Amino acid sequence: MFNKLKSAFKLVLFCMIALGLGTDGFSQSLQEVMKERGLSQQDLLAAAKTYTPSGKKDEYVVFSSGGQSGQVIVYGVPSMRIIKYIAVFTPEPWQGYGIGDEHTNNILYEQGKVRGRTITWGDTHHPAISETNGEYDGQYLFINDKANPRVAVIDLKTFTTTQIVPNPIMKSEHGAAFVTPNTEYVLEASQYAAPFTNEYVPLEEFNEKYRGAMTFWKFDRKKGKIVAKDSFSVELPPYWQDLSDSGKGMSAGWVFTNSFNSERYIGGFGKGTSKKWSNRLPHEAGVSSKDTDYLHMINMETAKKLFQAGKFEMINEHAVISIKDMVANDALYLIPEPKSPHGVMIDPTGQYITVSGKLDTHVSVYDIKKMTALIKKKDFEDVDSYGIPILSMTKSLHGQVELGLGPLHTQYDSVKGIAYTSLYVDSAIAKWDFLNLKLLEKIPINYNVGHLVSAEGDTTSPDGKYLVALNKMSIDRFVQVGPLHPQNHQLIDITPGRKMQLLYDMPLPLGEPHYAVMMKADKLKTIKRYKKKWFKNRVKPGREKVVRKGNQVTIYSTLIRSHFSPEVIEVKVGDEITWHITNLERAQDETHGFTIDQMNIHGSLEPGETETFKFKADVEGVYPFYCTEFCSALHLEMMGYFMVKP
Amino acid sequence: MFNKLKSAFKLVLFCMIALGLGTDGFSQSLQEVMKERGLSQQDLLAAAKTYTPSGKKDEYVVFSSGGQSGQVIVYGVPSMRIIKYIAVFTPEPWQGYGIGDEHTNNILYEQGKVRGRTITWGDTHHPAISETNGEYDGQYLFINDKANPRVAVIDLKTFTTTQIVPNPIMKSEHGAAFVTPNTEYVLEASQYAAPFTNEYVPLEEFNEKYRGAMTFWKFDRKKGKIVAKDSFSVELPPYWQDLSDSGKGMSAGWVFTNSFNSERYIGGFGKGTSKKWSNRLPHEAGVSSKDTDYLHMINMETAKKLFQAGKFEMINEHAVISIKDMVANDALYLIPEPKSPHGVMIDPTGQYITVSGKLDTHVSVYDIKKMTALIKKKDFEDVDSYGIPILSMTKSLHGQVELGLGPLHTQYDSVKGIAYTSLYVDSAIAKWDFLNLKLLEKIPINYNVGHLVSAEGDTTSPDGKYLVALNKMSIDRFVQVGPLHPQNHQLIDITPGRKMQLLYDMPLPLGEPHYAVMMKADKLKTIKRYKKKWFKNRVKPGREKVVRKGNQVTIYSTLIRSHFSPEVIEVKVGDEITWHITNLERAQDETHGFTIDQMNIHGSLEPGETETFKFKADVEGVYPFYCTEFCSALHLEMMGYFMVKP
């Protein structure tokens, strides 16, 4: 018996090493080790969650922006394993996105054009899952491009981008994508103010002619598409709008966006700056000189009615409702918010709106009941230069809580009244009570957290359980892979009744995520193979052929383990080629890739999929083509010759 | 005391859950659980290795090809966390690779051109770490592009691609990159045979005019560059050469490549195929009709002498040594190898060369001593159509071992005589003894393993410990993210004296890895910031300016938290802009990004780095520019206006 127990005891130590708790040897007693490291059984259990065993699937799936990678990153929680990079604004050859096939080329290079210019990257910031009654429904994902104002639609049946919509009036954006509780609209707020039209307007006319905006993109759920003609924008002052959110529950029908340059400051620091603007404070100082900026309250229902009533101006073929019309219809208000605010997040009930000021140690909790009461009474403190009524901050506030340095973003818990806020400068997460206005607990992270995400933390019924800190730096956390480090997403246990606990560090190998959303994985209704009927150019087995009409050559070909049909194709220099290609496989995951050597073409054809490639056979020669996906033991033999005769 | 032990006992159970071993409850005794699951203390310890705790660094780093993503994937072992995607053949905006800056644009779009065509992707297959005396030295990484025959050089000081070299005579390749034991040469072997010149040559002349080749790229370690003028190729028959390796130790000076179409078959199955080639067997059958193909033995030292003596023909400005000259100088031999061979891997001593035939259940172990003895005695079995002497397979073999279905690739252990071979069709890894020619053990994996990699498993002194199976399918292993699944890299414990044990599943979120190499992480000498002197266009603080000469506008600007200098820049439509930009930061990881909205430009500037962007201000308007990397609490304020006047 003693030996058995001794053996058990040794195992505990093994396990502790296993859990990364370590020990300096086997000479210490378990109790000593636990005491020394301040461990409880709960600690071990919590740590255990970080490791998902072989073959077991994750409970949650996180959709994270990839930042400048122009992609969306998908990972599982609690395993913190990245399962997919979804190509959105940047061509991605593995997925065959924008490397020659007609369908994705059209999305990326035609739909995605900005002022006639082809854009081959994006700065993705905020993903939003489609919602039904304020709950994630797992059907669609939306993501924005800050650099080249655009919004993309991703179909979660296939995890592919199906639409890119450029914003016709913005020159810069940030506060997107956010959805209304039933995904009627996808919201997009501008950032650095600019003229709505495309002309040069001198900065001297900034106050008069530069503007911000909130765009309401109408989403047709049945078609899975944004409908541009049913969409509109609301003109806003040039205050540099920032993060945004749609109201829900008690605040449903309202849309919120904050701002950080109500100073309307234009910088001019540093030699080389245009004379008129030089020898002034640099932007970051000038923009931060006032103690408060403005939280914007936009009445969506009224804006919608104004749009439907034709109360708008068409600018660049897009409907814009003026500030004047919004104000005249009691649909636009400002409330002061401290200081250089970044996050605006609405609690699950919709009553409380939390704003974090990067340069204030407090978070401010606004109460929609108080705000609407003030509006009802027309109890305004002031009016801004654009005629927008300003509500009193003190009268609108439920209260403020001092959390620490650099508060940015807030997420919610399953427990009523509990919120988590990221503290950028402190490198910590604060857990606090927004009803009773008190700080409960802080946990340090590594390092410099930007956004954070909790399980279903944006919905009307958050799950709690897990929180991920999206840290901007990792410095000493991982093997160093160049001067450019990965970011570090850290998983934190937020089980009610326990202290917050850091569970796991996950490096991000590509991209600089900003925001993320975390959804129950079982809400996904992903397909295993493509349906034939989705492809008008589908080639049926036995119907392969090559058809020539003048110099137009159309190739109808199929793929199945392990050959192409046809396998030898001869054309002439100058021929215009249209190559339809169908993957006939039924088996799950039996993808075939397609490339013609040296032609800069690549497709990824999943089971059932058809793609079309158009190109000119412009240079004579011998071009092998082959299946690029290791599809079977005879994969290397799956090839053909494309012969271009002089 | 009893309570203490009871508590310890409970902890064991917690730990077992922690390790993913699971239990149905806490009612079973530890012994029962262990018995039921066949666990030992060793099992727990082995499982423990899969979890690297927060802040602890990995012992090994794996460089894996990204396949059609055109990238290299870097991950740590044992944590199996991906730390970096290195941009190589595909533009990647997060790293600022090929999105406008002169340096990376030049590598990707100028150096990387194939027959004058810009290529924006690659099909990477085999990474190779630079070696010194047959050991990884951690200085450089080389990787090939199968689709557009090219080899790239990655500098591991910065983890960036520094050179792309297109192959002047190949139209398809596969057996690259592999290095000689002191990285004198980087090897690149062709795959689908084609004419060396760029003209159309009918397939009827396949045997006479289509060729394979082995290119020896001379590497200048000091400059970190491949030197094209000191490089050459050896002509080979059109047998579709495949994987390759450089000899070492006893086989140093020889280079090996196998082949899988010594039939010289051209397919023609399927309607639409050119008439001459139709109604024949499909490629995968025709190519596999013979029982053996040929292992090629190339004497590198002799080839080098022939090159230095001017015994070559210049084709597309590249030196090619003929089969005839190689044979005349006793430098090229063939040995039959069964059947549809794929892998050729040389053991740590260099004596034993293992070949796997995809359609044979055996692996074949050749002995270099026997082969060179046969050559010395001129004991040849036959001569092929191109005059190349053929050695007897039976006389060259050390022996064969039956391992299972679809053997592909082999890696080596720290224990003498032990090798691991992937079995594609079996979905298993075989551990076997290549000295005593016996199968020792098999472990199932999930599913369909292609390559595999062991710790330093390609070197003269493998470390053993860990093995990773690079599995082509995952099907049911992870949350489903579309019809295109991630691949699954599985970590296997190969500690001597224990049974092989599966430790961890890692999904690959982007790319389809082929081969990988695993190196001790402490060999990396990565820099933390760039040195000023590396950049001729560096802008010093205080020297920012805008200089106009006619319509040539040169901007000298700097970046430091949290502003650009200058911040407002005015130019005229039609101006040609050259924008030099220096990141003045010294702090580790203080990267700033740079974009001008809507201009399709993005740079990532790590501390100390200077980049140059050239573009035409072709459309009037107001263009905000900003820092795309979340660099400080005032990151959003780090912006300026680029004004293009009419």
Side-chain angles (χ1 to χ4, degrees), chain A residues 87 89 185 225 255 290 418 436 458 476 532 576:
Chain A
F89 297 111
Y185 291 104
K225 291 267 165 26
V255 161
K290 278 175 60 183
I418 301 298
N436 301 303
D458 256 356
D476 60 358
K532 292 175 189 176
E576 298 282 350

Side-chain angles (χ1 to χ4, degrees), chain B residues 393-445:
Chain B
M393 178 167 111
T394 43
K395 288 184 189 170
S396 301
L397 274 177
H398 169 63
Q400 292 183 312
V401 188
E402 184 162 5
L403 296 185
L405 297 174
L408 291 183
H409 301 284
T410 297
Q411 286 272 292
Y412 296 93
D413 199 342
S414 57
V415 181
K416 198 181 161 187
I418 301 299
Y420 301 86
T421 297
S422 54
L423 303 172
Y424 180 84
V425 181
D426 264 1
S427 284
I429 303 282
K431 177 177 179 176
W432 57 289
D433 181 333
F434 60 88
L435 295 176
N436 301 302
L437 299 168
K438 61 182 178 196
L439 172 63
L440 300 174
E441 192 192 344
K442 276 162 90 168
I443 184 171
I445 53 78

Side-chain angles (χ1 to χ4, degrees), chain A residues 414-438:
Chain A
S414 57
V415 181
K416 198 182 162 187
I418 301 298
Y420 301 86
T421 297
S422 53
L423 304 173
Y424 180 84
V425 181
D426 265 1
S427 283
I429 303 282
K431 178 177 179 176
W432 57 288
D433 182 332
F434 61 88
L435 295 176
N436 301 303
L437 299 168
K438 61 179 178 196

Side-chain angles (χ1 to χ4, degrees), chain B residues 129-360:
Chain B
I129 300 167
S130 58
E131 294 182 14
T132 301
N133 298 324
E135 299 290 341
Y136 300 148
D137 58 34
Q139 294 182 10
Y140 298 96
L141 189 78
F142 308 94
I143 187 107
N144 68 322
D145 174 6
K146 172 172 169 168
N148 319 287
R150 297 181 292 180
V151 167
V153 181
I154 295 159
D155 189 335
L156 293 178
K157 279 198 300 296
T158 57
F159 277 66
T160 58
T161 300
T162 50
Q163 188 183 22
I164 296 179
V165 183
N167 193 299
I169 57 166
M170 294 179 186
K171 307 294 174 281
S172 161
E173 59 103 289
H174 182 266
F178 299 92
V179 296
T180 55
N182 279 299
T183 323
E184 189 188 3
Y185 291 104
V186 181
L187 308 177
E188 183 179 21
S190 61
Q191 184 137 80
Y192 308 121
F196 284 159
T197 55
N198 294 337
E199 289 83 49
Y200 166 81
V201 177
L203 281 163
E204 286 81 351
E205 299 173 33
F206 186 90
N207 293 354
E208 298 74 34
K209 296 198 176 164
Y210 282 50
R211 286 292 177 271
M214 172 67 77
T215 300
F216 293 79
W217 289 113
K218 184 79 177 76
F219 185 65
D220 181 331
R221 190 188 287 263
K222 220 169 156 187
K223 289 184 183 153
K225 291 268 165 26
I226 283 172
V227 184
K229 71 172 177 51
D230 297 335
S231 306
F232 59 91
S233 293
V234 169
E235 179 194 13
L236 297 175
Y239 296 159
W240 295 9
Q241 284 72 27
D242 196 39
L243 273 165
S244 308
D245 204 354
S246 165
K248 58 187 164 218
M250 281 186 231
S251 52
W254 290 96
V255 161
F256 303 89
T257 182
N258 47 25
S259 61
F260 63 101
N261 187 15
S262 56
E263 293 87 350
R264 295 179 292 176
Y265 182 83
I266 303 299
F269 179 79
K271 291 180 183 175
T273 281
S274 283
K275 268 195 185 150
K276 285 168 288 196
W277 304 102
S278 64
N279 299 318
R280 305 184 76 207
L281 287 173
H283 265 150
E284 83 264 33
V287 162
S288 314
S289 58
K290 276 174 61 182
D291 276 343
T292 55
D293 287 290
Y294 291 124
L295 175 64
H296 301 52
M297 270 180 90
I298 302 166
N299 192 310
M300 181 180 76
E301 292 305 327
T302 306
K304 206 169 122 181
K305 279 178 199 152
L306 288 169
F307 171 64
Q308 283 160 352
K311 280 273 183 192
F312 55 77
E313 189 188 349
M314 289 300 278
I315 302 175
N316 296 342
E317 300 175 45
H318 176 75
V320 181
I321 304 169
S322 68
I323 292 176
K324 207 177 135 204
D325 281 337
M326 287 295 284
V327 170
N329 287 278
D330 305 326
L332 183 60
Y333 301 95
L334 301 171
I335 308 116
E337 50 177 8
K339 177 181 182 173
S340 283
H342 194 40
V344 51
M345 301 290 282
I346 299 161
D347 89 305
T349 68
Q351 183 174 1
Y352 299 101
I353 298 136
T354 295
V355 169
S356 315
K358 299 173 300 211
L359 301 181
D360 187 353

Side-chain angles (χ1 to χ4, degrees), chain A residues 7-8 11-12 14-15 18-20 41 44 48 51 54-55 57 68 81-82 84-85 92-94 114-115 117 120-121 123 146-148 171-172 192-193 198 200-201 210 240 242 260 268-269 271-274 283-284 342 358 424 472-473 476-477 480 482 485 503-505 507 509-512 526-527 542 544 546 562-563 566-568 570 588-590 595 597-598 600 602 618 620 622 626 628-630 632-633 636-637 639 641 643-645, chain B residues 8 11-12 14-15 18-19 41 44 48 51 53-55 57 68 81-82 84-85 92-94 114-115 117 119-121 123 146-148 171-172 192-193 198 200-201 210 240 242 260 268-269 271-274 283-284 342 358 424 472-473 476-477 480 482 485 503-505 507 509-512 526-527 542 544 546 562-563 566-568 570 588-590 595 597-598 600 602 618 620 622 626 628-630 632-633 636-637 639 641 643-645:
Chain A
S7 160
L11 259 173
V12 171
F14 276 122
C15 290
L19 294 168
Q41 293 182 7
L44 290 178
Y51 176 53
S54 173
K57 292 179 191 177
Q68 310 93 303
R81 292 184 289 211
I82 309 176
K84 179 108 173 183
Y85 273 76
E92 201 296 291
W94 169 61
V114 175
R115 297 174 66 179
R117 198 188 302 272
T120 58
W121 77 291
D123 187 9
K146 172 173 168 167
N148 318 287
K171 308 293 175 280
S172 161
Y192 307 122
N198 294 337
Y200 166 81
V201 177
Y210 283 50
W240 295 10
D242 196 38
F260 62 101
F269 179 80
K271 292 181 184 174
T273 281
S274 283
H283 265 150
E284 83 262 33
H342 194 41
K358 300 172 300 211
Y424 180 84
K472 292 288 144 189
M473 301 203 166
D476 60 358
R477 311 304 288 175
Q480 210 199 323
H485 293 239
L503 299 175
Y504 192 77
D505 285 30
L510 175 63
E512 191 227 355
T526 312
I527 61 162
E544 300 88 354
V546 177
S562 295
H563 58 266
E567 289 184 312
V568 177
E570 287 180 313
Q588 200 183 159
D589 209 13
E590 262 304 336
T595 189
D597 281 357
Q598 313 178 52
N600 206 33
H602 186 256
D618 51 356
E620 77 161 281
V622 173
Y626 68 95
T628 55
E629 187 87 21
F630 197 147
S632 79
L636 284 178
E637 287 79 354
M639 66 81 71
Y641 281 100
M643 311 290 290
V644 182
K645 292 192 211 180
Chain B
L11 259 173
V12 171
F14 277 121
C15 291
L19 295 167
Q41 293 181 10
L44 289 179
Y51 175 52
S54 174
K57 293 179 190 176
Q68 311 92 302
R81 291 185 289 211
I82 309 177
K84 178 106 173 184
Y85 273 76
E92 202 295 290
W94 169 61
V114 175
R115 297 174 66 180
R117 199 188 301 271
I119 306 284
T120 58
W121 76 291
D123 188 8
K146 172 172 169 168
N148 319 287
K171 307 294 174 281
S172 161
Y192 308 121
N198 294 337
Y200 166 81
V201 177
Y210 282 50
W240 295 9
D242 196 39
F260 63 101
F269 179 79
K271 291 180 183 175
T273 281
S274 283
H283 265 150
E284 83 264 33
H342 194 40
K358 299 173 300 211
Y424 180 84
K472 292 289 145 187
M473 300 203 167
D476 59 358
R477 312 302 290 175
Q480 210 198 323
H485 293 239
L503 299 176
Y504 193 77
D505 285 30
L510 175 62
E512 191 228 355
T526 312
I527 60 161
E544 299 88 354
V546 178
S562 294
H563 58 267
E567 289 184 313
V568 177
E570 287 181 313
Q588 201 184 159
D589 210 12
E590 263 304 337
T595 189
D597 281 358
Q598 314 179 52
N600 205 33
H602 186 257
D618 51 357
E620 77 162 281
V622 174
Y626 68 95
T628 54
E629 187 87 21
F630 198 147
S632 80
L636 284 178
E637 287 79 354
M639 67 81 70
Y641 281 100
M643 311 290 290
V644 183
K645 294 192 210 179

